[in-house]
Amino acid sequence: EIAMSLTPHHLQLNQQGQLRHFLTIEGLSRELLTELLDTADSFLEVGERAVKKVPLLRGKTVCNVFFENSTRTRTTFELAAKRLSADVLNLNISTSSTSKGETLFDTLQNLEAMAADMFVVRHGDSGAAHFIAERVCPDVAVINAGDGNHAHPTQAMLDMFTIRQHKGAFEQLRFAIVGDILHSRVARSQIHALNILGAREIRVIGPKTLLPTEIERLGVTAFTNMDEGLRDIDVIMMLRLQLERMEGQLIPSSQEYFRLYGLTSERVARAAPDAVVMHPGPMNRGLEITSSVADGERSLILPQVTNGIAVRMSIMAKLMGPQSQNLESEP
Ligand code: CP
């Protein structure tokens, strides 16, 4: 794993306390998160226009550098950048010179030499986005699109946006994050965001083997019994079982995992009467969630994806755009 030489939440703010990179939710203020969500509200409307474009980032170049597979994050970043009128470069790592042994730093220096203004980075190693942010030119911004099991801050922001859109004030709501907490960068970012935004209660639910030790220090209560953990919950946030990251036998079997932690309609009925269900994707249907729940009326899984575009537009605009936003359509 790439060592983090600076505390990430110090690295992402400049000396005036303004956002310079977007690397982690940790250490950001409630005011900033609320401002990003409010701006995303206005960008949602842009996505409903016949011409889905505003000229805010015209002339800027955004480079998507994904060292790990992605469906939702990469495509919604690309759409977000295009809707802001930026030029977008998608570096395909499998066909790039990285496969010939070029280092991460050399690859990025070459992209910088092409005058990229922003790097959107996904990497399998925790700390990769910070490593890059420490080394880029002063006017280049870096967004963490998921690093190892550390953070996925834009996913957490689109989750917060979707919760606010459908359920209102965080102070009134109880949350349960369910499944493979141990390997989940999404869970870590969600927990930070929910705490900053004032959630009434945050629970994590999973087998002991998939709950990090001392997880309570993040301000959550841990449950190993799903039926107990779901009681009175307003928002059920499911996680993917990350079998590819597991070393050794952390679950007894897929069938047993589903029996104990799979989200079925019967289990949803144990939560609050109007509880909603979220999942960042990709989903393992039949392993952590049934199709009847994933596709049911309580599911916010596809709205999460749609909202991801507006939320990523908001974060990009904050990092690269002028302070006053021009939401006029292109002529
Ligand atoms: N939620 C998420 O990060 O999905 P992708 O891996 O498809 O980007």
Side-chain angles (χ1 to χ4, degrees):
E1 304 249 318
I2 295 167
M4 276 182 253
S5 58
L6 277 178
T7 315
H9 54 272
H10 290 153
L11 181 63
Q12 67 185 348
L13 301 176
N14 66 15
Q15 288 192 333
Q16 290 73 45
Q18 293 159 334
L19 200 63
R20 157 102 180 76
H21 305 289
F22 197 71
L23 305 175
T24 174
I25 299 287
E26 200 179 353
L28 297 179
S29 67
R30 187 186 291 205
E31 290 68 32
L32 176 64
L33 297 196
T34 305
E35 180 194 329
L36 291 171
L37 297 179
D38 291 344
T39 309
D41 261 328
S42 59
F43 284 132
L44 208 54
E45 182 266 321
V46 174
E48 288 158 9
R49 295 181 190 174
V51 179
K52 300 176 181 59
K53 258 192 193 307
V54 289
L56 208 59
L57 298 187
R58 188 153 48 192
K60 300 282 187 188
T61 302
V62 174
C63 191
N64 280 328
V65 195
F66 279 58
F67 294 87
E68 233 190 28
N69 294 341
S70 166
T71 299
R72 286 144 287 269
T73 311
R74 201 199 61 71
T75 50
T76 54
F77 262 115
E78 181 172 353
L79 270 178
K82 286 179 171 170
R83 286 185 186 177
L84 291 167
S85 304
D87 295 320
V88 183
L89 191 64
N90 290 305
L91 184 68
N92 185 346
I93 293 300
S94 63
T95 58
S96 76
S97 289
T98 305
S99 58
K100 298 180 200 160
E102 186 170 78
T103 67
L104 172 61
F105 186 55
D106 280 334
T107 302
L108 288 158
Q109 275 205 315
N110 279 274
L111 293 170
E112 258 186 345
M114 299 172 207
D117 297 289
M118 172 177 279
F119 293 126
V120 178
V121 181
R122 167 166 293 189
H123 202 288
D125 287 346
S126 300
H130 303 90
F131 175 89
I132 294 162
E134 280 180 290
R135 287 161 177 81
V136 290
C137 296
D139 52 351
V140 175
V142 177
I143 296 183
N144 183 2
D147 64 326
N149 59 13
H150 172 244
H152 195 349
T154 63
Q155 176 69 47
M157 288 303 291
L158 73 88
D159 293 338
M160 298 307 114
F161 184 87
T162 308
I163 291 162
R164 194 175 80 158
Q165 184 183 52
H166 288 266
K167 299 295 287 181
F170 292 88
E171 293 84 351
Q172 313 292 329
L173 301 172
R174 291 189 168 94
F175 299 85
I177 304 173
V178 184
D180 185 358
I181 314 287
L182 184 67
H183 299 102
S184 180
R185 54 194 177 209
V186 174
R188 282 169 183 74
S189 292
Q190 287 171 332
I191 291 168
H192 286 305
L194 289 171
N195 273 318
I196 292 166
L197 291 167
R200 179 173 176 181
E201 186 183 352
I202 311 167
R203 300 177 195 166
V204 292
I205 304 173
K208 238 190 177 99
T209 48
L210 295 180
L211 293 174
T213 48
E214 302 194 33
I215 184 77
E216 289 86 355
R217 290 174 67 165
L218 293 182
V220 302
T221 315
F223 288 76
T224 52
N225 183 307
M226 189 163 179
D227 293 332
E228 279 175 23
L230 286 180
R231 200 169 296 146
D232 300 325
I233 286 296
D234 300 292
V235 182
I236 307 170
M237 305 167 88
M238 298 304 294
L239 296 173
R240 182 172 71 88
L241 199 54
Q242 299 195 38
L243 297 168
E244 76 280 11
R245 287 189 200 271
M246 287 185 195
E247 288 168 10
Q249 189 80 16
L250 295 181
I251 57 166
S253 69
S254 301
Q255 292 85 347
E256 187 68 355
Y257 183 83
F258 176 75
R259 190 179 71 77
L260 294 172
Y261 298 102
L263 190 64
T264 58
S265 303
E266 293 72 32
R267 285 225 163 93
V268 173
R270 295 186 183 274
D274 55 352
V276 292
V277 175
M278 303 174 74
H279 194 305
M283 281 183 283
N284 293 309
R285 288 174 185 257
L287 180 54
E288 70 244 359
I289 191 166
T290 60
S291 286
S292 60
V293 175
D295 305 327
E297 57 182 19
R298 308 282 196 89
S299 171
L300 298 181
I301 294 170
L302 291 179
Q304 283 176 268
V305 179
T306 306
N307 291 337
I309 303 169
V311 169
R312 289 176 170 127
M313 287 170 80
S314 169
I315 294 165
M316 287 175 154
K318 180 72 181 171
L319 289 169
M320 279 197 298
Q323 288 305 308
S324 59
Q325 287 166 6
N326 176 5
L327 298 183
E328 295 303 308
S329 287
E330 288 275 69

